Amino acid sequence: MKRSGYFITLVLAVVLSLCFAGAQCWAGEKVYKMTGDITALDPDHNAVVIEVPVGEKLFTVAGPVSPEAVLKKDGRSVDLMDFQIGERVTVKWKATETGHLILSVRAKR
């Protein structure tokens, strides 16, 4: 009888740990928001490269712009070609299996 109590406790612990580990799958994808400078634009391929300072290093956010992306300058909607290299922007992006996907680019003067 004592053994069955330990076994039930062990089974419950395993089941609960699996539930908590799987909860991240249901939480959705992580979206990152960073501020940096545009270093390259490719309106023909709908892509952008933004260098974000992280400590003393630079983190590169580069990839295609989502068809549903929000592109704004001074609060108004713009096209990707309305941005300029060297411009300071805030970018929202998420990681995908193939790289970064840009969800939003915003610039203020």
Side-chain angles (χ1 to χ4, degrees):
M1 188 71 169
K2 208 174 194 185
R3 281 187 160 172
S4 65
Y6 291 124
F7 181 73
I8 291 172
T9 303
L10 177 63
V11 169
L12 283 174
V14 169
V15 169
L16 287 175
S17 66
L18 290 175
C19 288
F20 288 123
Q24 286 186 346
C25 297
W26 300 320
E29 297 172 341
K30 175 80 172 147
V31 174
Y32 300 91
K33 182 178 178 181
M34 302 174 148
T35 300
D37 299 322
I38 294 175
T39 56
L41 287 167
D42 188 350
D44 294 335
H45 293 98
N46 203 34
V48 63
V49 178
I50 300 165
E51 296 289 338
V52 177
V54 178
E56 294 183 14
K57 297 183 178 188
L58 291 175
F59 178 78
T60 303
V61 178
V65 177
S66 168
E68 296 86 27
V70 175
L71 304 176
K72 291 200 172 194
K73 253 181 137 171
D74 297 323
R76 59 185 174 84
S77 295
V78 296
D79 293 322
L80 186 59
M81 63 187 184
D82 293 321
F83 291 99
Q84 298 176 1
I85 292 177
E87 191 165 20
R88 173 71 66 165
V89 295
T90 299
V91 60
K92 284 186 183 179
W93 61 277
K94 67 180 179 180
T96 67
E97 290 181 11
T98 58
H100 300 149
L101 179 63
I102 310 301
L103 304 174
S104 167
V105 180
R106 296 174 186 258
K108 294 181 184 176
R109 289 185 195 206

